[in-house]
């Protein structure tokens, strides 16, 4: 029946004042089609995280952090050349000896725990030998690698540390057991131990009560959308909801939710639990190492007061303008680097191709041209910063903010 059939007495098919029956869904759909509203049911609208748009807003309104466009363009080319030389791709993730190697659900659990606790490793100790570190496989691991080593060590000791039902079992998973898991080889404990325990308890409750005890079910619910998985994680897990107010506007940074998705994508080479059709919506991860690297490259500049504060290792409060400007501007800077690389090297298609490297009938060519996205640029910048740190070549310290967000 045509919706607006003249023979039909005029009535609003949605709300007929004389009837208390529900609006006829067929009529609602017909009306939506007639008004051109149809077809875009909420489930069809592609999910967005809003992180990149918020990062641009922060950059546009930043006072103490700025970008140097010429240096950013120059750095883009340097980064591109170095990434090509190292054949940087998703495979690089698994090349790290401590990262889990099996491509199964156990590794999904490992990565979830890793990125649940992937924050604030920096030590307040000036004396390097006294800083928190984890002894594993005959080596002392610090920073992010101390976390990965602690998880691997616990698994070697038959502690089911990656199982969410263990985290909520306070009879067996006591604080003492967790202190043992994260025990340091020095007198300094892992930073924010209590907050890490709280993250595990909370996330364990959510996973066990809402997702059948495994993060694999969250991945399934996201229907291979990276942005959808970021939004699902930040909606259901408070300890991933990395957002704040800047200039009166709510801004999302979502560092650990995004690196969680990125680690899955890299570990599984864009397949299986790592397959996402919109992986390029993931931005750089706003931590405390990339801003340092971007400053070292001359891309990012600080006001004299901020720079002297950072150089004197003074703390910067979580959520303060200085901190949000550092984090948001670094996200935007990596986006500009990514755009510059794509402009200079049109042969590079987005890394959303499987595993981040371009399919090619010429294997040599594939080896030389790897897809580029913010994730791979970020991973490269982090790993490069860690090399500079090992070589005592840091030109400026990283900023000191204590928080569970990064
Ligand atoms: N933006 C960004 N931040 C990253 C990483 C990683 C490690 N990712 C591995 C996976 C693939 C890559 O190739 C890396 O090998 C850790 N972090 C953050 O840094 C801080 C730790 O610093 P430090 O204490 O010095 O280790 C802390 O906020 C931590 O959350 C990254 O990749 N990108």
């Amino acid at each position: 029946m045509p919706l607006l059939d003249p023979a039909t007495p005029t009535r609003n098919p949605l709300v007929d004042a004389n009837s208390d029956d529900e609006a006829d869904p067929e009529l609602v759909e017909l009306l939506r089609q007639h008004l051109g509203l149809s077809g875009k049911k909420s489930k069809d609208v592609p999910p967005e995280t809003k992180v990149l748009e918020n990062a641009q807003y922060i950059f546009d309104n930043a006072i103490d952090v700025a970008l140097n466009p010429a240096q950013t363009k120059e750095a883009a080319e340097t980064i591109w050349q170095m990434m090509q030389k190292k054949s940087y791709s998703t495979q690089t993730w698994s090349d790290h000896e401590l990262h889990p190697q099996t491509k199964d659900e156990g590794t999904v659990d490992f990565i979830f725990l890793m990125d649940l606790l992937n924050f604030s490793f920096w030590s307040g100790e000036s004396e390097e030998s006294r800083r928190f570190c984890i002894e594993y496989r005959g080596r002392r691991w610090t920073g992010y690698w101390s976390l990965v080593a602690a998880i691997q060590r616990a698994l070697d000791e038959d502690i089911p540390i990656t199982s969410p039902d263990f985290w909520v079992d306070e009879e067996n998973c006591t604080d003492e057991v967790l202190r043992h898991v994260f025990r340091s080889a020095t007198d300094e404990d892992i930073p924010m131990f209590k907050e890490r325990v709280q993250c595990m308890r909370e996330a364990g409750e959510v996973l066990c009560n809402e997702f059948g005890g495994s993060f694999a079910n969250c991945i399934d619910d996201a229907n291979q959308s990276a942005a959808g998985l970021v939004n699902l994680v930040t909606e259901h897990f408070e300890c991933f909801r990395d957002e704040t107010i800047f200039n009166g506007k709510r801004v999302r940074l979502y560092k650990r939710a995004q690196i969680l998705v990125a680690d899955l994508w890299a570990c599984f080479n864009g397949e299986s639990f790592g397959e996402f059709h919109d992986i390029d919506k993931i931005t750089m991860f706003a931590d405390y190492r990339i801003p340092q690297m971007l400053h070292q490259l001359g891309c990012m500049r600080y006001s004299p007061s901020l720079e002297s504060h950072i150089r004197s290792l003074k703390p910067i409060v979580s959520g303060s303008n200085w901190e949000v400007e550092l984090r948001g501007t670094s996200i935007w800077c990596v986006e500009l680097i990514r755009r510059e690389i794509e402009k200079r090297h049109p042969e590079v298609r987005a890394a959303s191709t499987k595993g981040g490297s371009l399919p090619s009938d010429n294997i040599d060519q594939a080896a030389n041209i790897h897809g580029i996205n913010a994730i791979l640029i970020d991973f490269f910048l982090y790993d490069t910063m860690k090399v500079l740190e090992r070589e005592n070549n840091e030109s400026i310290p990283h900023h000191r903010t204590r928080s569970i967000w990064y």
Side-chain angles (χ1 to χ4, degrees):
M1 175 200 62
L3 181 63
L4 302 176
D5 174 354
T8 314
T10 311
R11 77 185 190 87
N12 175 341
L14 286 173
V15 181
D16 182 331
N18 302 324
S19 106
D20 55 4
D21 59 341
E22 283 292 299
D24 178 336
E26 260 188 62
L27 280 173
V28 169
E29 185 47 29
L30 278 172
L31 183 62
R32 284 166 59 89
Q33 280 168 17
H34 180 73
L35 297 172
L37 301 175
S38 186
K40 278 287 169 208
K41 292 192 186 63
S42 58
K43 74 174 173 55
D44 298 344
V45 176
E48 300 295 339
T49 68
K50 295 193 183 348
V51 172
L52 192 57
E53 110 189 26
N54 290 169
Q56 185 172 19
Y57 173 80
I58 295 166
F59 166 68
D60 290 342
N61 292 277
I63 295 169
D64 291 281
V65 181
L67 296 180
N68 178 323
Q71 287 287 89
T72 302
K73 283 189 167 55
E74 202 178 304
E77 189 54 23
T78 309
I79 290 165
W80 161 258
Q81 297 299 343
M82 289 172 75
M83 286 180 77
Q84 293 312 302
K85 211 159 126 234
K86 291 174 176 250
S87 297
Y88 228 79
S89 75
T90 51
Q91 182 52 43
T92 317
W93 193 94
S94 300
D95 293 347
H96 289 287
E97 61 173 294
L98 287 188
H99 277 156
Q101 298 299 314
T102 54
K103 308 299 178 197
D104 56 21
E105 196 164 327
T107 291
V108 169
D109 290 342
F110 189 108
I111 291 174
F112 180 80
L113 175 63
M114 193 178 74
D115 285 321
L116 177 69
L117 303 179
N118 190 356
F119 57 82
S120 212
F121 304 106
W122 57 270
S123 168
E125 277 289 346
S126 49
E127 174 50 50
E128 196 170 338
S129 64
R130 297 168 54 83
R131 288 178 192 157
F132 160 76
C133 66
I134 295 279
E135 213 150 65
Y136 180 62
R137 287 187 190 162
R139 285 179 58 180
R140 291 192 160 197
W141 306 88
T142 58
Y144 162 80
W145 296 109
S146 70
L147 169 65
V148 191
I151 298 171
Q152 292 286 17
R153 182 176 66 180
L155 293 174
D156 289 358
E157 295 172 351
D158 292 328
I159 298 169
I161 194 64
T162 57
S163 304
D165 49 17
F166 181 64
W167 311 341
V168 296
D169 172 3
E170 301 211 26
E171 224 173 279
N172 291 302
C173 181
T174 60
D175 282 10
E176 289 65 43
V177 165
L178 292 176
R179 282 204 179 282
H180 173 77
V181 166
F182 295 109
R183 66 192 183 280
S184 173
T186 66
D187 291 339
E188 187 185 37
D189 285 344
I190 186 169
M192 304 187 90
F193 172 76
K194 284 193 173 52
E195 289 81 356
R196 294 181 203 275
V197 172
Q198 193 178 344
C199 285
M200 294 172 76
R201 304 284 192 217
E202 278 173 21
E205 289 296 333
V206 173
L207 281 175
C208 293
N209 298 341
E210 298 176 44
F211 295 101
S214 169
F215 189 67
N217 295 325
C218 299
I219 297 172
D220 204 37
D221 287 357
N223 298 318
Q224 295 177 347
S225 165
L229 187 52
V230 167
N231 291 343
L232 182 151
V233 166
T234 50
E235 187 190 317
H236 289 271
F237 298 87
E238 205 174 325
C239 65
F240 278 96
R241 203 170 303 145
D242 173 12
E243 57 189 33
T244 186
I245 301 297
F246 177 75
N247 275 17
K249 177 183 165 71
R250 186 161 76 115
V251 288
R252 299 155 188 84
L253 296 159
Y254 290 172
K255 186 260 175 192
R256 287 195 289 109
Q258 290 199 101
I259 201 170
L260 169 56
V261 175
D263 283 337
L264 288 167
W265 173 69
C267 170
F268 289 89
N269 279 307
E271 300 174 329
S272 168
F273 292 111
E275 184 172 351
F276 299 103
H277 55 76
D278 60 346
I279 192 64
D280 297 330
K281 286 185 181 172
I282 300 295
T283 73
M284 162 272 185
F285 320 113
D287 71 322
Y288 52 85
R289 282 296 179 190
I290 309 299
Q292 184 188 20
M293 186 70 220
L294 294 173
H295 188 279
Q296 187 128 350
L297 286 166
C299 306
M300 209 145 84
R301 313 305 296 159
Y302 305 151
S303 66
S305 56
L306 174 57
E307 179 155 348
S308 89
H309 193 93
I310 289 175
R311 288 190 183 282
S312 50
L313 309 185
K314 286 179 185 158
I316 293 182
V317 174
S318 176
S320 64
N321 276 8
W322 272 358
E323 189 228 18
V324 178
E325 289 179 22
L326 280 166
R327 299 184 75 200
T329 303
S330 57
I331 292 174
W332 189 243
C333 184
V334 171
E335 173 60 13
L336 295 181
I337 288 170
R338 187 194 65 75
R339 292 180 184 182
E340 182 66 17
I341 290 174
E342 275 198 347
K343 198 172 94 189
R344 289 178 181 221
H345 303 279
E347 75 278 14
V348 173
R349 270 186 290 125
S352 50
T353 52
K354 192 184 290 186
S357 55
L358 296 177
S360 160
D361 46 12
N362 168 347
I363 298 298
D364 292 346
Q365 194 227 343
N368 296 325
I369 298 176
H370 285 266
I372 282 281
N373 62 14
I375 297 172
L376 292 177
I377 295 170
D378 174 288
F379 283 170
F380 169 78
L381 290 173
Y382 172 84
D383 288 340
T384 305
M385 190 64 237
K386 294 303 283 178
V387 170
L388 291 170
E389 181 197 30
R390 272 200 299 278
E391 295 166 352
N392 287 319
N393 273 337
E394 296 170 278
S395 63
I396 187 168
H398 65 73
H399 71 276
R400 260 80 174 158
T401 295
R402 267 300 172 228
S403 93
I404 67 163
W405 305 122
Y406 60 99

